[in-house]
Amino acid sequence: MTASTLKTIVGRRLWITGLVLAIAAALVSALWLTASSQPASATIAQTASTLDTELSQDPATSDAKADAKADRTAFHAAMKAARMLKGQERVDALKKVAADAKAGKYGDRIEKRADRRADRRAAVFALLPDELQADLTKLRAMQPGDERKAYRNEIRQKALDDGYGDKVKEAAEKLKGHWRD
């Protein structure tokens, strides 16, 4: 490639870039002009009235934001307090916070989040094999203690032994190092 050819390629690219920018500027200005079909004085008056409306509604909006922030703060404080407990007290406290969240005690946004989480868990549970669903349901209904731990270990071993299918076996092998007793 020679120097004169390079100048021509660069020149063409600059010309095309300039043309594209000019077309874009023309489109933006055309859209802007068609959007403001009223005279400038009306636009200024509308802007002033819109500003007044926004300023008058701002405290209500800030109150809603403050309420939502207070709800989140209360939810996080309750979760933190529940997580500091040990054993069955912790389980019961976490269940209570979750139930309160679903009931709307911590506001609409946290209630919706709790509902979405429950829906996701139900969808994932529905994907499990029927036999595993039955065993997990039975495990959840059992009282905490040695019997429940033994049944949980039976489920884990059955999963590792391909009792629930290949996919469950693969998942069990991947999770094996993360299981707590």
Side-chain angles (χ1 to χ4, degrees):
M1 198 183 322
T2 66
S4 62
T5 307
L6 181 63
K7 288 180 183 178
T8 306
I9 291 172
V10 171
R12 286 182 184 159
R13 285 189 178 172
L14 287 173
W15 184 81
I16 291 171
T17 303
L19 180 64
V20 168
L21 289 175
I23 292 170
L27 287 173
V28 169
S29 63
L31 289 173
W32 181 68
L33 287 174
T34 57
S36 60
S37 60
Q38 297 178 355
S41 60
T43 305
I44 293 171
Q46 288 175 346
T47 304
S49 67
T50 304
L51 181 62
D52 289 339
T53 305
E54 291 295 324
L55 289 175
S56 67
Q57 292 177 355
D58 193 34
T61 305
S62 64
D63 288 344
K65 288 181 182 179
D67 290 343
K69 186 174 182 177
D71 290 339
R72 279 193 312 273
T73 303
F75 175 71
H76 290 295
M79 287 297 288
K80 186 175 182 177
R83 287 185 182 125
M84 293 183 138
L85 300 173
K86 299 289 182 199
Q88 190 60 36
E89 287 180 330
R90 177 184 174 142
V91 172
D92 293 340
L94 288 171
K95 284 181 182 179
K96 182 177 181 342
V97 172
D100 288 347
K102 280 183 153 184
K105 179 179 178 182
Y106 301 110
D108 293 340
R109 294 177 76 182
I110 293 177
E111 179 183 3
K112 288 177 186 175
R113 189 184 324 163
D115 290 340
R116 282 192 312 264
R117 186 176 207 180
D119 292 344
R120 273 194 311 270
R121 285 185 177 186
V124 169
F125 190 76
L127 295 174
L128 298 175
D130 293 338
E131 190 176 350
L132 180 56
Q133 287 182 22
D135 288 346
L136 291 175
T137 302
K138 181 179 175 183
L139 177 69
R140 187 174 179 133
M142 295 175 81
Q143 292 296 320
D146 293 336
E147 196 174 310
R148 183 176 180 173
K149 286 180 184 178
Y151 191 66
R152 182 181 63 215
N153 290 334
E154 287 177 29
I155 293 172
R156 288 176 176 172
Q157 193 58 48
K158 188 175 179 180
L160 289 170
D161 294 339
D162 201 20
Y164 298 114
D166 294 338
K167 291 183 180 181
V168 175
K169 180 180 179 180
E170 286 179 35
E173 288 173 351
K174 288 179 183 177
L175 295 172
K176 186 177 181 182
H178 300 285
W179 286 340
R180 291 183 284 171
D181 286 323

